[in-house]
Amino acid sequence: MTSQRANGVELGIETFGRDTDPLVLLAGGTTMVSWPDAVCERLAAGGRRVVRYDLRDSGASTTLDPEAPAYRLRDLAADAAALVGALGAATAHLGGVGVGGMVAQVAALDHPDAFSALTLVGTRPVAPGPVDDDLPDHDAATMDALFSRPMPDWTDRTAVAAFASDGAELLGNDPEQARTTAARIWDRTPSTEPAVQQANQLGMVFARLDCAPRWRERLGDLTLPTLVVHGRNDPFFPVGNGEALAMAIPDARLLVLDEMGTAIPDTAADEVAVAMLER
């Protein structure tokens, strides 16, 4: 792991594969480890140079104040486009998970020359906050159960990992995979300040981020090959969001994984990577 300066900020990155292979750029949601190692390794074995990276205010990227971000969603999209050039590539296949999928959508719309293909995982075509009437919102019972739990001591690695594991089944995820991922995020967070740790674990910066203007109405302008991956058991962004994305983007392929909730399970890594390699 290292960092790369792009668009005036330092972005934490990790590279898999050969530098001479076509670039696949994976935006974190919010940290890079939302993309499982197994997916990155399978893509690299398929002849791709894979670079996964942390969004601002997470992981090894520039962290200022996740409770009051001085940038917008469109700045994060510009980061992705600038990173392609900074890595020495002409274009990249861009992937995003969750909120990283929102970044990826806007990046592909705002910077079409920088990207050759698009993969959107567990995301939706509108910003955090109220959803359009035709889109399913967060499952209310699940959200109540998730957020009625007492918050952990964010400075305690073991407590944070246990908190993630305890909530995993509610989100349709594997508890042990969630525990391991949370511990890795904790280890990579540059500060033990509770607000920074919480922002890294839960992506809280997006609750405070300016995501205007809307982009859903522009999705029909996309012409690059697109893969939409969604979990059948996702209660946070229910599967209707992925279906709406695939319908809005011309010729997009929709891959619905029955065993997936909000996170790509390790057991589906090969299927996801193969579908991405076909784009």
Side-chain angles (χ1 to χ4, degrees):
M1 295 186 185
T2 183
S3 65
Q4 176 67 57
R5 191 160 187 83
N7 198 29
V9 294
E10 291 291 328
L11 299 174
I13 66 170
E14 184 177 18
T15 301
F16 301 76
R18 296 182 295 267
D19 289 347
T20 54
D21 285 339
L23 178 62
V24 176
L25 184 65
L26 302 177
T30 57
T31 76
M32 66 170 72
V33 294
S34 53
W35 286 97
D37 295 355
V39 172
C40 300
E41 291 163 356
R42 178 64 179 83
L43 289 170
R48 300 295 187 271
R49 174 193 182 193
V50 180
V51 177
R52 60 181 178 181
Y53 75 98
D54 300 311
L55 301 183
R56 298 190 198 187
D57 280 318
S58 70
S61 292
T62 293
T63 296
L64 296 175
D65 184 358
E67 295 190 306
Y71 52 88
R72 304 168 62 200
L73 175 63
R74 296 186 93 164
D75 294 313
L76 298 181
D79 291 350
L83 189 52
V84 174
L87 292 169
T91 62
H93 179 157
L94 177 64
V97 175
V99 291
M102 298 174 186
V103 173
Q105 291 171 67
V106 176
L109 288 165
D110 284 2
H111 308 276
D113 293 340
F115 305 107
S116 57
L118 187 63
T119 294
L120 306 170
V121 181
T123 190
R124 68 183 190 186
V126 295
V131 295
D132 295 349
D133 290 342
D134 65 319
L135 296 175
D137 202 352
H138 309 309
D139 180 76
T142 301
M143 296 304 103
D144 286 346
L146 273 175
F147 294 109
S148 63
R149 298 179 300 151
M151 290 288 143
D153 176 356
W154 294 106
T155 67
D156 183 333
R157 180 182 189 271
T158 300
V160 169
F163 179 78
S165 178
D166 290 344
E169 288 190 20
L170 292 170
L171 294 170
N173 300 329
D174 176 73
E176 286 311 306
Q177 185 176 336
R179 183 191 303 275
T180 299
T181 299
R184 291 180 69 187
I185 292 171
W186 197 96
D187 290 341
R188 299 184 65 253
T189 299
S191 170
T192 57
E193 286 295 319
V196 177
Q197 285 286 346
Q198 184 177 12
N200 273 253
Q201 294 286 338
L202 302 182
M204 297 299 293
V205 67
F206 271 78
R208 302 170 177 87
L209 198 64
D210 181 352
C211 294
R214 285 174 58 91
W215 68 86
R216 185 181 185 187
E217 290 74 19
R218 300 169 58 203
L219 291 173
D221 296 338
L222 291 174
T223 58
L224 71 177
T226 300
L227 172 68
V228 177
V229 180
H230 217 99
R232 180 82 65 191
N233 300 319
D234 186 342
F236 195 78
F237 294 143
V239 67
N241 290 281
E243 293 168 345
L245 263 178
M247 288 182 61
I249 300 172
D251 300 319
R253 178 193 172 188
L254 175 64
L255 174 61
V256 177
L257 299 174
D258 290 336
E259 72 274 28
M260 176 176 161
T262 65
I264 302 172
D266 288 339
T267 54
D270 191 70
E271 186 174 4
V272 171
V274 168
M276 293 179 68
L277 290 168
E278 293 173 348
R279 292 290 90 185

mmCIF file of all heavy atoms in Angstrom, residues 98-99 102 122-124 128-129 131 136-140 142-143 146-147 170-173 202-204 206 230-239 241 261-263:
data_model
loop_
_atom_site.group_PDB
_atom_site.id
_atom_site.type_symbol
_atom_site.label_atom_id
_atom_site.label_comp_id
_atom_site.label_asym_id
_atom_site.label_seq_id
_atom_site.Cartn_x
_atom_site.Cartn_y
_atom_site.Cartn_z
ATOM 1 N N GLY A 98 -21.334 0.786 -2.765
ATOM 2 C CA GLY A 98 -22.106 1.629 -1.851
ATOM 3 C C GLY A 98 -22.002 3.091 -2.227
ATOM 4 O O GLY A 98 -22.297 3.491 -3.354
ATOM 5 N N VAL A 99 -21.554 3.923 -1.278
ATOM 6 C CA VAL A 99 -21.390 5.339 -1.580
ATOM 7 C C VAL A 99 -20.309 5.546 -2.635
ATOM 8 O O VAL A 99 -20.346 6.520 -3.398
ATOM 9 C CB VAL A 99 -21.089 6.150 -0.307
ATOM 10 C CG1 VAL A 99 -22.315 6.186 0.598
ATOM 11 C CG2 VAL A 99 -19.879 5.599 0.444
ATOM 12 N N MET A 102 -21.867 5.795 -5.908
ATOM 13 C CA MET A 102 -22.367 7.125 -6.251
ATOM 14 C C MET A 102 -21.244 7.960 -6.852
ATOM 15 O O MET A 102 -21.441 8.673 -7.844
ATOM 16 C CB MET A 102 -22.951 7.802 -5.012
ATOM 17 C CG MET A 102 -24.126 7.068 -4.410
ATOM 18 S SD MET A 102 -24.667 7.808 -2.833
ATOM 19 C CE MET A 102 -25.898 6.616 -2.325
ATOM 20 N N GLY A 122 -24.019 -2.547 -5.067
ATOM 21 C CA GLY A 122 -24.767 -2.218 -3.858
ATOM 22 C C GLY A 122 -24.992 -0.736 -3.675
ATOM 23 O O GLY A 122 -24.827 -0.215 -2.567
ATOM 24 N N THR A 123 -25.434 -0.057 -4.723
ATOM 25 C CA THR A 123 -25.599 1.389 -4.643
ATOM 26 C C THR A 123 -26.934 1.790 -5.246
ATOM 27 O O THR A 123 -27.780 0.930 -5.559
ATOM 28 C CB THR A 123 -24.414 2.100 -5.338
ATOM 29 O OG1 THR A 123 -24.462 3.488 -5.059
ATOM 30 C CG2 THR A 123 -24.403 1.848 -6.839
ATOM 31 N N ARG A 124 -27.169 3.093 -5.400
ATOM 32 C CA ARG A 124 -28.438 3.562 -5.948
ATOM 33 C C ARG A 124 -28.210 4.836 -6.758
ATOM 34 O O ARG A 124 -27.137 5.453 -6.655
ATOM 35 C CB ARG A 124 -29.456 3.800 -4.832
ATOM 36 C CG ARG A 124 -29.134 4.957 -3.893
ATOM 37 C CD ARG A 124 -30.173 5.046 -2.777
ATOM 38 N NE ARG A 124 -30.033 6.266 -1.997
ATOM 39 C CZ ARG A 124 -30.741 6.529 -0.898
ATOM 40 N NH1 ARG A 124 -31.618 5.639 -0.456
ATOM 41 N NH2 ARG A 124 -30.579 7.663 -0.235
ATOM 42 N N PRO A 128 -27.443 10.168 -0.743
ATOM 43 C CA PRO A 128 -27.973 9.885 0.593
ATOM 44 C C PRO A 128 -29.063 10.888 0.962
ATOM 45 O O PRO A 128 -29.012 12.047 0.569
ATOM 46 C CB PRO A 128 -26.746 10.040 1.490
ATOM 47 C CG PRO A 128 -25.582 9.767 0.604
ATOM 48 C CD PRO A 128 -25.974 10.318 -0.736
ATOM 49 N N GLY A 129 -30.040 10.407 1.712
ATOM 50 C CA GLY A 129 -31.164 11.265 2.075
ATOM 51 C C GLY A 129 -32.456 10.705 1.510
ATOM 52 O O GLY A 129 -32.536 9.526 1.164
ATOM 53 N N VAL A 131 -35.347 9.365 -0.755
ATOM 54 C CA VAL A 131 -35.261 8.689 -2.052
ATOM 55 C C VAL A 131 -36.446 9.075 -2.926
ATOM 56 O O VAL A 131 -37.463 9.592 -2.449
ATOM 57 C CB VAL A 131 -35.231 7.159 -1.890
ATOM 58 C CG1 VAL A 131 -33.973 6.734 -1.176
ATOM 59 C CG2 VAL A 131 -36.456 6.651 -1.148
ATOM 60 N N PRO A 136 -36.963 1.817 -3.565
ATOM 61 C CA PRO A 136 -37.142 1.332 -2.187
ATOM 62 C C PRO A 136 -36.131 1.971 -1.253
ATOM 63 O O PRO A 136 -34.944 2.033 -1.549
ATOM 64 C CB PRO A 136 -36.925 -0.178 -2.308
ATOM 65 C CG PRO A 136 -36.093 -0.352 -3.538
ATOM 66 C CD PRO A 136 -36.461 0.761 -4.470
ATOM 67 N N ASP A 137 -36.620 2.450 -0.121
ATOM 68 C CA ASP A 137 -35.751 3.074 0.877
ATOM 69 C C ASP A 137 -35.175 2.002 1.791
ATOM 70 O O ASP A 137 -35.506 0.814 1.693
ATOM 71 C CB ASP A 137 -36.561 4.089 1.684
ATOM 72 C CG ASP A 137 -35.693 5.152 2.348
ATOM 73 O OD1 ASP A 137 -34.455 5.015 2.303
ATOM 74 O OD2 ASP A 137 -36.251 6.103 2.916
ATOM 75 N N HIS A 138 -34.299 2.431 2.696
ATOM 76 C CA HIS A 138 -33.749 1.509 3.687
ATOM 77 C C HIS A 138 -34.886 0.756 4.382
ATOM 78 O O HIS A 138 -35.932 1.337 4.693
ATOM 79 C CB HIS A 138 -32.968 2.268 4.757
ATOM 80 C CG HIS A 138 -31.954 3.233 4.214
ATOM 81 N ND1 HIS A 138 -31.012 2.893 3.279
ATOM 82 C CD2 HIS A 138 -31.737 4.549 4.509
ATOM 83 C CE1 HIS A 138 -30.258 3.946 3.005
ATOM 84 N NE2 HIS A 138 -30.683 4.958 3.731
ATOM 85 N N ASP A 139 -34.681 -0.520 4.646
ATOM 86 C CA ASP A 139 -35.669 -1.293 5.380
ATOM 87 C C ASP A 139 -35.779 -0.739 6.802
ATOM 88 O O ASP A 139 -34.795 -0.734 7.556
ATOM 89 C CB ASP A 139 -35.265 -2.760 5.416
ATOM 90 C CG ASP A 139 -36.258 -3.605 6.172
ATOM 91 O OD1 ASP A 139 -37.334 -3.888 5.628
ATOM 92 O OD2 ASP A 139 -35.960 -3.966 7.339
ATOM 93 N N ALA A 140 -36.966 -0.263 7.162
ATOM 94 C CA ALA A 140 -37.138 0.466 8.419
ATOM 95 C C ALA A 140 -36.824 -0.397 9.633
ATOM 96 O O ALA A 140 -36.165 0.054 10.579
ATOM 97 C CB ALA A 140 -38.565 1.009 8.510
ATOM 98 N N THR A 142 -34.888 -2.992 9.864
ATOM 99 C CA THR A 142 -33.452 -3.237 9.944
ATOM 100 C C THR A 142 -32.717 -2.015 10.472
ATOM 101 O O THR A 142 -31.817 -2.124 11.319
ATOM 102 C CB THR A 142 -32.893 -3.624 8.566
ATOM 103 O OG1 THR A 142 -33.552 -4.800 8.102
ATOM 104 C CG2 THR A 142 -31.395 -3.879 8.647
ATOM 105 N N MET A 143 -33.092 -0.834 9.975
ATOM 106 C CA MET A 143 -32.429 0.384 10.422
ATOM 107 C C MET A 143 -32.669 0.615 11.916
ATOM 108 O O MET A 143 -31.764 1.016 12.645
ATOM 109 C CB MET A 143 -32.914 1.592 9.613
ATOM 110 C CG MET A 143 -32.565 1.542 8.126
ATOM 111 S SD MET A 143 -30.790 1.350 7.764
ATOM 112 C CE MET A 143 -30.713 -0.398 7.330
ATOM 113 N N LEU A 146 -30.434 -1.780 13.757
ATOM 114 C CA LEU A 146 -29.028 -1.403 13.645
ATOM 115 C C LEU A 146 -28.668 -0.244 14.545
ATOM 116 O O LEU A 146 -27.682 -0.271 15.293
ATOM 117 C CB LEU A 146 -28.693 -1.030 12.200
ATOM 118 C CG LEU A 146 -28.278 -2.130 11.239
ATOM 119 C CD1 LEU A 146 -28.120 -1.554 9.841
ATOM 120 C CD2 LEU A 146 -26.985 -2.792 11.686
ATOM 121 N N PHE A 147 -29.482 0.811 14.476
ATOM 122 C CA PHE A 147 -29.102 2.061 15.127
ATOM 123 C C PHE A 147 -29.654 2.209 16.547
ATOM 124 O O PHE A 147 -29.391 3.213 17.200
ATOM 125 C CB PHE A 147 -29.504 3.242 14.244
ATOM 126 C CG PHE A 147 -28.725 3.273 12.949
ATOM 127 C CD1 PHE A 147 -29.342 2.976 11.749
ATOM 128 C CD2 PHE A 147 -27.372 3.547 12.947
ATOM 129 C CE1 PHE A 147 -28.625 2.972 10.558
ATOM 130 C CE2 PHE A 147 -26.643 3.551 11.767
ATOM 131 C CZ PHE A 147 -27.269 3.265 10.568
ATOM 132 N N LEU A 170 -27.846 -8.550 10.248
ATOM 133 C CA LEU A 170 -28.926 -7.612 9.934
ATOM 134 C C LEU A 170 -28.769 -7.046 8.524
ATOM 135 O O LEU A 170 -29.754 -6.733 7.852
ATOM 136 C CB LEU A 170 -28.946 -6.464 10.943
ATOM 137 C CG LEU A 170 -29.351 -6.807 12.376
ATOM 138 C CD1 LEU A 170 -29.077 -5.624 13.292
ATOM 139 C CD2 LEU A 170 -30.831 -7.194 12.430
ATOM 140 N N LEU A 171 -27.527 -6.915 8.073
ATOM 141 C CA LEU A 171 -27.239 -6.360 6.753
ATOM 142 C C LEU A 171 -27.080 -7.437 5.690
ATOM 143 O O LEU A 171 -26.719 -7.133 4.544
ATOM 144 C CB LEU A 171 -25.971 -5.503 6.818
ATOM 145 C CG LEU A 171 -26.094 -4.235 7.673
ATOM 146 C CD1 LEU A 171 -24.732 -3.592 7.868
ATOM 147 C CD2 LEU A 171 -27.068 -3.245 7.040
ATOM 148 N N GLY A 172 -27.329 -8.688 6.057
ATOM 149 C CA GLY A 172 -27.215 -9.777 5.098
ATOM 150 C C GLY A 172 -25.797 -10.206 4.822
ATOM 151 O O GLY A 172 -25.522 -10.820 3.786
ATOM 152 N N ASN A 173 -24.876 -9.901 5.752
ATOM 153 C CA ASN A 173 -23.453 -10.162 5.540
ATOM 154 C C ASN A 173 -22.940 -11.253 6.466
ATOM 155 O O ASN A 173 -23.584 -11.616 7.459
ATOM 156 C CB ASN A 173 -22.651 -8.878 5.757
ATOM 157 C CG ASN A 173 -23.069 -7.776 4.814
ATOM 158 O OD1 ASN A 173 -23.496 -8.032 3.686
ATOM 159 N ND2 ASN A 173 -22.956 -6.529 5.261
ATOM 160 N N LEU A 202 -18.284 3.705 9.243
ATOM 161 C CA LEU A 202 -19.686 3.837 8.837
ATOM 162 C C LEU A 202 -19.906 4.775 7.654
ATOM 163 O O LEU A 202 -21.036 4.934 7.216
ATOM 164 C CB LEU A 202 -20.533 4.326 10.026
ATOM 165 C CG LEU A 202 -20.506 3.453 11.286
ATOM 166 C CD1 LEU A 202 -21.417 4.043 12.346
ATOM 167 C CD2 LEU A 202 -20.909 2.009 10.969
ATOM 168 N N GLY A 203 -18.837 5.379 7.144
ATOM 169 C CA GLY A 203 -19.009 6.304 6.024
ATOM 170 C C GLY A 203 -19.833 7.521 6.383
ATOM 171 O O GLY A 203 -20.571 8.055 5.553
ATOM 172 N N MET A 204 -19.714 7.993 7.608
ATOM 173 C CA MET A 204 -20.566 9.076 8.102
ATOM 174 C C MET A 204 -20.380 10.381 7.338
ATOM 175 O O MET A 204 -21.246 11.241 7.358
ATOM 176 C CB MET A 204 -20.291 9.315 9.597
ATOM 177 C CG MET A 204 -20.624 8.118 10.467
ATOM 178 S SD MET A 204 -22.368 7.644 10.398
ATOM 179 C CE MET A 204 -23.109 9.077 11.192
ATOM 180 N N PHE A 206 -20.647 10.978 4.360
ATOM 181 C CA PHE A 206 -21.651 11.160 3.306
ATOM 182 C C PHE A 206 -22.948 11.751 3.830
ATOM 183 O O PHE A 206 -23.729 12.312 3.064
ATOM 184 C CB PHE A 206 -21.897 9.845 2.571
ATOM 185 C CG PHE A 206 -20.967 9.650 1.413
ATOM 186 C CD1 PHE A 206 -19.664 9.243 1.621
ATOM 187 C CD2 PHE A 206 -21.380 9.917 0.118
ATOM 188 C CE1 PHE A 206 -18.788 9.088 0.560
ATOM 189 C CE2 PHE A 206 -20.514 9.770 -0.945
ATOM 190 C CZ PHE A 206 -19.222 9.353 -0.736
ATOM 191 N N HIS A 230 -25.820 -6.392 -7.313
ATOM 192 C CA HIS A 230 -26.609 -6.062 -6.128
ATOM 193 C C HIS A 230 -26.945 -7.338 -5.362
ATOM 194 O O HIS A 230 -27.107 -8.410 -5.949
ATOM 195 C CB HIS A 230 -27.899 -5.343 -6.511
ATOM 196 C CG HIS A 230 -28.278 -4.272 -5.547
ATOM 197 N ND1 HIS A 230 -28.023 -2.933 -5.751
ATOM 198 C CD2 HIS A 230 -28.869 -4.339 -4.323
ATOM 199 C CE1 HIS A 230 -28.454 -2.224 -4.724
ATOM 200 N NE2 HIS A 230 -28.964 -3.059 -3.837
ATOM 201 N N GLY A 231 -27.041 -7.197 -4.047
ATOM 202 C CA GLY A 231 -27.401 -8.316 -3.191
ATOM 203 C C GLY A 231 -28.904 -8.455 -3.059
ATOM 204 O O GLY A 231 -29.603 -7.468 -2.808
ATOM 205 N N ARG A 232 -29.378 -9.673 -3.209
ATOM 206 C CA ARG A 232 -30.804 -9.933 -3.037
ATOM 207 C C ARG A 232 -31.243 -9.602 -1.614
ATOM 208 O O ARG A 232 -32.382 -9.188 -1.383
ATOM 209 C CB ARG A 232 -31.080 -11.400 -3.323
ATOM 210 C CG ARG A 232 -32.532 -11.822 -3.183
ATOM 211 C CD ARG A 232 -33.334 -11.502 -4.419
ATOM 212 N NE ARG A 232 -32.885 -12.273 -5.571
ATOM 213 C CZ ARG A 232 -33.282 -12.029 -6.821
ATOM 214 N NH1 ARG A 232 -34.128 -11.043 -7.073
ATOM 215 N NH2 ARG A 232 -32.840 -12.774 -7.825
ATOM 216 N N ASN A 233 -30.311 -9.733 -0.651
ATOM 217 C CA ASN A 233 -30.643 -9.561 0.766
ATOM 218 C C ASN A 233 -30.201 -8.211 1.321
ATOM 219 O O ASN A 233 -30.055 -8.070 2.532
ATOM 220 C CB ASN A 233 -29.994 -10.680 1.588
ATOM 221 C CG ASN A 233 -30.470 -12.053 1.173
ATOM 222 O OD1 ASN A 233 -31.654 -12.242 0.906
ATOM 223 N ND2 ASN A 233 -29.558 -13.013 1.102
ATOM 224 N N ASP A 234 -29.990 -7.234 0.455
ATOM 225 C CA ASP A 234 -29.515 -5.914 0.901
ATOM 226 C C ASP A 234 -30.678 -5.107 1.482
ATOM 227 O O ASP A 234 -31.582 -4.703 0.762
ATOM 228 C CB ASP A 234 -28.912 -5.171 -0.296
ATOM 229 C CG ASP A 234 -28.256 -3.849 0.088
ATOM 230 O OD1 ASP A 234 -28.544 -3.321 1.183
ATOM 231 O OD2 ASP A 234 -27.458 -3.335 -0.718
ATOM 232 N N PRO A 235 -30.674 -4.854 2.808
ATOM 233 C CA PRO A 235 -31.753 -4.065 3.399
ATOM 234 C C PRO A 235 -31.449 -2.570 3.415
ATOM 235 O O PRO A 235 -32.324 -1.756 3.688
ATOM 236 C CB PRO A 235 -31.828 -4.607 4.832
ATOM 237 C CG PRO A 235 -30.393 -4.944 5.143
ATOM 238 C CD PRO A 235 -29.763 -5.383 3.843
ATOM 239 N N PHE A 236 -30.187 -2.205 3.150
ATOM 240 C CA PHE A 236 -29.796 -0.796 3.210
ATOM 241 C C PHE A 236 -30.159 -0.088 1.916
ATOM 242 O O PHE A 236 -30.823 0.949 1.928
ATOM 243 C CB PHE A 236 -28.300 -0.682 3.506
ATOM 244 C CG PHE A 236 -27.881 0.698 3.936
ATOM 245 C CD1 PHE A 236 -28.125 1.134 5.230
ATOM 246 C CD2 PHE A 236 -27.264 1.567 3.055
ATOM 247 C CE1 PHE A 236 -27.759 2.416 5.645
ATOM 248 C CE2 PHE A 236 -26.888 2.844 3.449
ATOM 249 C CZ PHE A 236 -27.140 3.274 4.739
ATOM 250 N N PHE A 237 -29.698 -0.625 0.800
ATOM 251 C CA PHE A 237 -30.163 -0.205 -0.519
ATOM 252 C C PHE A 237 -30.836 -1.424 -1.143
ATOM 253 O O PHE A 237 -30.191 -2.205 -1.847
ATOM 254 C CB PHE A 237 -28.999 0.254 -1.406
ATOM 255 C CG PHE A 237 -28.296 1.504 -0.953
ATOM 256 C CD1 PHE A 237 -26.930 1.633 -1.098
ATOM 257 C CD2 PHE A 237 -29.003 2.561 -0.391
ATOM 258 C CE1 PHE A 237 -26.270 2.787 -0.700
ATOM 259 C CE2 PHE A 237 -28.356 3.715 0.028
ATOM 260 C CZ PHE A 237 -26.983 3.836 -0.132
ATOM 261 N N PRO A 238 -32.132 -1.649 -0.876
ATOM 262 C CA PRO A 238 -32.784 -2.856 -1.386
ATOM 263 C C PRO A 238 -32.623 -3.016 -2.897
ATOM 264 O O PRO A 238 -32.363 -2.058 -3.625
ATOM 265 C CB PRO A 238 -34.248 -2.632 -0.991
ATOM 266 C CG PRO A 238 -34.175 -1.790 0.242
ATOM 267 C CD PRO A 238 -33.026 -0.847 -0.008
ATOM 268 N N VAL A 239 -32.760 -4.260 -3.345
ATOM 269 C CA VAL A 239 -32.377 -4.635 -4.699
ATOM 270 C C VAL A 239 -33.083 -3.820 -5.783
ATOM 271 O O VAL A 239 -32.554 -3.658 -6.888
ATOM 272 C CB VAL A 239 -32.600 -6.147 -4.909
ATOM 273 C CG1 VAL A 239 -34.084 -6.500 -4.886
ATOM 274 C CG2 VAL A 239 -31.933 -6.623 -6.184
ATOM 275 N N ASN A 241 -33.147 -0.793 -6.065
ATOM 276 C CA ASN A 241 -32.242 0.297 -6.445
ATOM 277 C C ASN A 241 -31.290 -0.143 -7.555
ATOM 278 O O ASN A 241 -31.042 0.598 -8.508
ATOM 279 C CB ASN A 241 -31.451 0.772 -5.230
ATOM 280 C CG ASN A 241 -32.319 1.501 -4.228
ATOM 281 O OD1 ASN A 241 -32.643 2.659 -4.398
ATOM 282 N ND2 ASN A 241 -32.703 0.797 -3.165
ATOM 283 N N GLY A 261 -25.623 -9.397 0.854
ATOM 284 C CA GLY A 261 -26.362 -8.308 1.481
ATOM 285 C C GLY A 261 -25.793 -6.992 0.999
ATOM 286 O O GLY A 261 -25.898 -6.640 -0.175
ATOM 287 N N THR A 262 -25.149 -6.249 1.914
ATOM 288 C CA THR A 262 -24.557 -4.965 1.521
ATOM 289 C C THR A 262 -23.112 -5.102 1.057
ATOM 290 O O THR A 262 -22.586 -4.206 0.396
ATOM 291 C CB THR A 262 -24.598 -3.967 2.690
ATOM 292 O OG1 THR A 262 -23.770 -4.449 3.757
ATOM 293 C CG2 THR A 262 -26.011 -3.760 3.200
ATOM 294 N N ALA A 263 -22.445 -6.200 1.414
ATOM 295 C CA ALA A 263 -21.022 -6.377 1.104
ATOM 296 C C ALA A 263 -20.828 -7.551 0.160
ATOM 297 O O ALA A 263 -21.575 -8.533 0.218
ATOM 298 C CB ALA A 263 -20.223 -6.615 2.389
#
